[in-house]
Coordinates of all heavy atoms in Angstrom, one line a residue:
E1 N -9.1 -16.8 0.7 CA -8.9 -17.0 -0.7 C -7.6 -16.3 -1.1 O -7.4 -15.1 -0.9 CB -10.0 -16.5 -1.5 CG -11.3 -17.2 -1.3 CD -12.1 -16.6 -0.1 OE1 -11.5 -15.8 0.6 OE2 -13.3 -16.8 0.0
S2 N -6.7 -17.0 -1.8 CA -5.4 -16.4 -2.1 C -5.3 -16.0 -3.6 O -4.3 -15.5 -4.0 CB -4.3 -17.5 -1.9 OG -4.5 -18.6 -2.7
D3 N -6.4 -16.1 -4.3 CA -6.4 -15.8 -5.7 C -7.0 -14.5 -6.0 O -7.3 -14.2 -7.2 CB -7.1 -16.9 -6.5 CG -8.5 -17.1 -6.1 OD1 -8.9 -16.6 -5.1 OD2 -9.2 -17.8 -6.9
R4 N -7.3 -13.6 -5.0 CA -7.9 -12.4 -5.3 C -6.9 -11.4 -5.9 O -5.7 -11.5 -5.7 CB -8.5 -11.8 -4.0 CG -9.6 -12.6 -3.4 CD -10.3 -12.0 -2.3 NE -11.4 -12.8 -1.8 CZ -12.4 -12.4 -1.0 NH1 -12.4 -11.1 -0.6 NH2 -13.3 -13.2 -0.6
P5 N -7.4 -10.4 -6.7 CA -6.5 -9.5 -7.4 C -5.7 -8.7 -6.3 O -6.1 -8.5 -5.2 CB -7.4 -8.6 -8.1 CG -8.6 -9.4 -8.4 CD -8.8 -10.2 -7.1
G6 N -4.5 -8.3 -6.7 CA -3.6 -7.5 -5.9 C -3.7 -6.0 -6.2 O -4.0 -5.6 -7.3
L7 N -3.5 -5.2 -5.1 CA -3.6 -3.8 -5.2 C -2.3 -3.2 -4.6 O -2.1 -3.5 -3.4 CB -4.8 -3.3 -4.6 CG -5.1 -1.8 -4.6 CD1 -5.2 -1.3 -6.0 CD2 -6.4 -1.5 -3.8
V8 N -1.5 -2.5 -5.3 CA -0.3 -1.9 -4.8 C -0.4 -0.4 -4.8 O -0.7 0.2 -5.8 CB 1.0 -2.3 -5.6 CG1 2.2 -1.7 -5.0 CG2 1.1 -3.8 -5.7
F9 N -0.2 0.2 -3.6 CA -0.2 1.7 -3.4 C 1.2 2.2 -3.4 O 2.1 1.7 -2.7 CB -0.9 2.1 -2.1 CG -2.4 1.9 -2.2 CD1 -3.0 0.9 -1.4 CD2 -3.2 2.6 -3.0 CE1 -4.4 0.7 -1.4 CE2 -4.6 2.5 -3.0 CZ -5.2 1.5 -2.2
V10 N 1.4 3.3 -4.2 CA 2.7 4.0 -4.3 C 2.6 5.4 -3.9 O 1.8 6.2 -4.4 CB 3.2 3.9 -5.8 CG1 4.7 4.5 -5.9 CG2 3.2 2.5 -6.4
H11 N 3.4 5.8 -2.9 CA 3.4 7.1 -2.3 C 4.0 8.2 -3.2 O 4.7 7.9 -4.1 CB 4.0 7.1 -0.9 CG 5.5 6.7 -0.9 ND1 6.5 7.6 -1.3 CD2 6.1 5.6 -0.7 CE1 7.6 7.0 -1.2 NE2 7.5 5.8 -0.9
G12 N 3.9 9.5 -2.7 CA 4.5 10.6 -3.5 C 5.8 11.1 -2.8 O 6.4 10.4 -2.0
N13 N 6.2 12.3 -3.2 CA 7.4 12.9 -2.7 C 7.5 13.0 -1.2 O 6.6 13.5 -0.6 CB 7.5 14.4 -3.3 CG 7.8 14.4 -4.7 OD1 8.4 13.5 -5.3 ND2 7.5 15.5 -5.3
G14 N 8.6 12.5 -0.7 CA 8.8 12.7 0.8 C 7.9 11.9 1.6 O 7.9 12.0 2.9
A15 N 7.0 11.0 1.0 CA 6.0 10.3 1.8 C 6.5 8.9 2.1 O 7.7 8.6 2.0 CB 4.7 10.3 1.0
H16 N 5.6 8.0 2.4 CA 5.9 6.6 2.8 C 4.7 5.7 2.8 O 3.6 6.2 2.6 CB 6.6 6.6 4.2 CG 5.8 7.4 5.2 ND1 4.6 7.0 5.8 CD2 6.0 8.7 5.7 CE1 4.2 7.9 6.6 NE2 5.0 9.0 6.6
A17 N 4.9 4.5 3.1 CA 3.8 3.5 3.0 C 2.6 3.7 3.9 O 1.5 3.4 3.6 CB 4.4 2.1 3.3
H18 N 2.9 4.4 5.1 CA 1.8 4.6 6.0 C 0.9 5.7 5.6 O -0.1 5.9 6.4 CB 2.4 4.9 7.4 CG 2.9 3.6 8.1 ND1 2.1 2.7 8.7 CD2 4.2 3.1 8.3 CE1 2.8 1.7 9.2 NE2 4.1 2.0 9.0
W19 N 1.1 6.3 4.5 CA 0.0 7.2 4.0 C -1.2 6.4 3.6 O -2.3 6.9 3.3 CB 0.6 8.0 2.8 CG 1.4 9.2 3.1 CD1 2.5 9.2 3.8 CD2 1.1 10.5 2.7 NE1 3.0 10.5 3.9 CE2 2.1 11.3 3.2 CE3 0.1 11.1 1.9 CZ2 2.2 12.7 3.0 CZ3 0.1 12.5 1.7 CH2 1.2 13.3 2.2
W20 N -1.0 5.1 3.4 CA -2.1 4.2 3.0 C -2.7 3.3 4.0 O -3.6 2.6 3.8 CB -1.6 3.3 1.8 CG -0.9 4.1 0.7 CD1 0.4 4.3 0.5 CD2 -1.6 4.9 -0.3 NE1 0.7 5.0 -0.6 CE2 -0.5 5.4 -1.1 CE3 -2.9 5.1 -0.7 CZ2 -0.8 6.2 -2.2 CZ3 -3.2 5.9 -1.8 CH2 -2.1 6.4 -2.5
T21 N -2.1 3.3 5.2 CA -2.5 2.4 6.3 C -4.0 2.5 6.6 O -4.7 1.5 6.9 CB -1.7 2.6 7.6 OG1 -0.3 2.8 7.2 CG2 -1.8 1.4 8.5
F22 N -4.5 3.7 6.7 CA -5.9 3.9 7.1 C -6.9 3.7 5.9 O -8.1 3.8 6.1 CB -6.1 5.3 7.7 CG -5.4 6.4 6.9 CD1 -6.1 7.1 5.9 CD2 -4.1 6.8 7.2 CE1 -5.5 8.1 5.2 CE2 -3.5 7.8 6.4 CZ -4.2 8.4 5.4
L23 N -6.4 3.5 4.7 CA -7.2 3.3 3.5 C -7.2 1.8 3.0 O -8.3 1.4 2.5 CB -6.7 4.2 2.3 CG -6.8 5.7 2.6 CD1 -6.0 6.4 1.5 CD2 -8.3 6.1 2.5
A24 N -6.2 1.1 3.2 CA -6.1 -0.3 2.7 C -7.2 -1.2 3.2 O -7.8 -1.9 2.4 CB -4.7 -0.9 3.1
P25 N -7.7 -1.1 4.4 CA -8.7 -2.0 4.9 C -10.0 -1.8 4.1 O -10.8 -2.8 4.1 CB -8.9 -1.6 6.4 CG -7.6 -1.1 6.8 CD -7.1 -0.3 5.6
F26 N -10.3 -0.7 3.4 CA -11.5 -0.6 2.7 C -11.6 -1.5 1.4 O -12.6 -1.7 0.9 CB -11.7 0.9 2.2 CG -12.0 1.8 3.3 CD1 -11.1 2.7 3.9 CD2 -13.3 1.9 3.8 CE1 -11.4 3.5 4.9 CE2 -13.7 2.8 4.8 CZ -12.7 3.6 5.4
F27 N -10.4 -2.0 1.1 CA -10.3 -2.8 -0.1 C -10.3 -4.3 0.1 O -10.2 -5.1 -0.8 CB -9.1 -2.4 -1.0 CG -9.2 -1.0 -1.4 CD1 -8.7 0.0 -0.6 CD2 -9.8 -0.6 -2.6 CE1 -8.7 1.4 -1.0 CE2 -9.8 0.7 -3.0 CZ -9.3 1.7 -2.2
L28 N -10.2 -4.7 1.4 CA -9.9 -6.1 1.7 C -11.0 -7.1 1.4 O -10.7 -8.3 1.4 CB -9.4 -6.2 3.2 CG -8.2 -5.4 3.5 CD1 -7.8 -5.6 5.0 CD2 -7.0 -5.8 2.6
E29 N -12.2 -6.6 1.2 CA -13.3 -7.6 0.9 C -13.0 -8.2 -0.5 O -13.5 -9.4 -0.7 CB -14.6 -6.8 0.9 CG -15.8 -7.7 0.7 CD -17.1 -7.0 0.7 OE1 -17.1 -5.8 1.0 OE2 -18.2 -7.7 0.5
H30 N -12.3 -7.5 -1.4 CA -12.2 -8.1 -2.7 C -10.7 -8.2 -3.2 O -10.5 -8.7 -4.2 CB -13.0 -7.2 -3.7 CG -14.4 -7.2 -3.4 ND1 -15.3 -8.3 -3.5 CD2 -15.2 -6.2 -3.0 CE1 -16.5 -8.0 -3.2 NE2 -16.5 -6.7 -2.9
Y31 N -9.8 -7.6 -2.4 CA -8.4 -7.5 -2.9 C -7.4 -7.8 -1.8 O -7.7 -7.6 -0.7 CB -8.2 -6.1 -3.5 CG -9.2 -5.7 -4.5 CD1 -10.2 -4.8 -4.2 CD2 -9.1 -6.1 -5.8 CE1 -11.2 -4.4 -5.1 CE2 -10.1 -5.8 -6.8 CZ -11.1 -4.9 -6.4 OH -12.1 -4.5 -7.3
R32 N -6.2 -8.2 -2.2 CA -5.1 -8.2 -1.4 C -4.3 -6.9 -1.6 O -4.3 -6.4 -2.7 CB -4.2 -9.4 -1.6 CG -4.9 -10.8 -1.3 CD -4.0 -11.9 -1.8 NE -4.1 -12.0 -3.2 CZ -3.2 -12.7 -4.0 NH1 -2.2 -13.3 -3.4 NH2 -3.3 -12.7 -5.3
V33 N -3.8 -6.4 -0.5 CA -3.2 -5.0 -0.6 C -1.8 -4.9 -0.1 O -1.5 -5.5 0.9 CB -4.1 -4.0 0.2 CG1 -3.6 -2.6 0.0 CG2 -5.6 -4.1 -0.3
A34 N -1.0 -4.1 -0.8 CA 0.4 -3.8 -0.4 C 0.6 -2.4 -0.6 O 0.1 -1.7 -1.5 CB 1.4 -4.7 -1.1
A35 N 1.4 -1.8 0.3 CA 1.9 -0.4 0.2 C 3.4 -0.3 0.5 O 3.8 -0.8 1.6 CB 1.1 0.6 1.1
L36 N 4.2 0.2 -0.4 CA 5.6 0.1 -0.2 C 6.2 1.5 0.1 O 5.7 2.5 -0.2 CB 6.3 -0.5 -1.5 CG 6.5 0.5 -2.7 CD1 7.7 0.0 -3.5 CD2 5.2 0.5 -3.6
D37 N 7.4 1.4 0.7 CA 8.3 2.5 0.8 C 9.3 2.4 -0.4 O 10.1 1.4 -0.4 CB 9.1 2.5 2.1 CG 8.3 2.7 3.3 OD1 7.4 3.6 3.3 OD2 8.5 2.1 4.4
L38 N 9.2 3.3 -1.3 CA 10.2 3.3 -2.4 C 11.6 3.5 -1.7 O 11.8 4.0 -0.6 CB 10.0 4.5 -3.3 CG 8.7 4.4 -4.2 CD1 8.5 5.7 -4.9 CD2 8.7 3.2 -5.1
S39 N 12.7 3.0 -2.4 CA 14.0 3.2 -1.9 C 14.2 4.7 -1.7 O 13.8 5.6 -2.5 CB 15.0 2.6 -2.8 OG 14.9 3.2 -4.1
G40 N 14.9 5.1 -0.6 CA 15.1 6.4 -0.2 C 14.0 7.1 0.5 O 14.0 8.3 0.9
A41 N 13.0 6.3 0.9 CA 11.8 6.8 1.6 C 11.4 5.8 2.7 O 11.7 4.6 2.7 CB 10.6 7.0 0.7
G42 N 10.7 6.3 3.7 CA 10.2 5.5 4.8 C 11.3 4.6 5.4 O 12.4 5.1 5.7
D43 N 11.0 3.3 5.5 CA 11.9 2.4 6.2 C 12.6 1.5 5.2 O 13.2 0.5 5.6 CB 11.1 1.5 7.1 CG 10.5 2.3 8.3 OD1 11.2 3.2 8.8 OD2 9.3 2.0 8.6
S44 N 12.7 1.9 3.9 CA 13.5 1.2 2.9 C 14.9 1.7 2.9 O 15.2 2.8 3.5 CB 12.9 1.4 1.5 OG 11.7 0.6 1.4
G45 N 15.8 1.0 2.3 CA 17.2 1.4 2.2 C 17.4 2.6 1.2 O 16.5 3.0 0.5
R46 N 18.6 3.0 1.1 CA 19.0 4.1 0.3 C 19.9 3.6 -0.9 O 20.5 2.6 -0.8 CB 19.8 5.2 1.1 CG 19.1 5.7 2.3 CD 17.8 6.4 2.0 NE 17.1 7.0 3.2 CZ 16.0 6.5 3.8 NH1 15.5 5.3 3.3 NH2 15.5 7.0 4.8
R47 N 19.9 4.5 -1.9 CA 20.7 4.2 -3.1 C 21.7 5.3 -3.4 O 21.4 6.5 -3.0 CB 19.8 3.9 -4.3 CG 18.9 2.7 -4.2 CD 18.2 2.4 -5.5 NE 17.2 1.3 -5.4 CZ 17.5 0.0 -5.3 NH1 18.8 -0.4 -5.5 NH2 16.6 -0.9 -5.2

């Protein structure tokens, strides 16, 4: 089902998207999930 609500996780200082990798699966029964690297963090580009 592609119409389930979305859930976006945002990390803290010096962190990255993989802080959420081990938590995201707990929500997949009812939600679609994304976790991003803010610019300047993780594998995103710099500004």
Side-chain angles (χ1 to χ4, degrees):
E1 297 89 343
S2 61
D3 60 346
R4 297 192 177 192
L7 182 58
V8 180
F9 287 114
V10 186
H11 62 78
N13 287 337
H16 47 74
H18 282 285
W19 278 60
W20 308 101
T21 315
F22 47 89
L23 294 168
F26 287 102
F27 299 89
L28 296 183
E29 184 177 356
H30 300 292
Y31 308 98
R32 292 171 290 161
V33 182
L36 77 153
D37 290 323
L38 295 169
S39 57
D43 296 318
S44 288
R46 306 295 184 256
R47 299 188 185 279

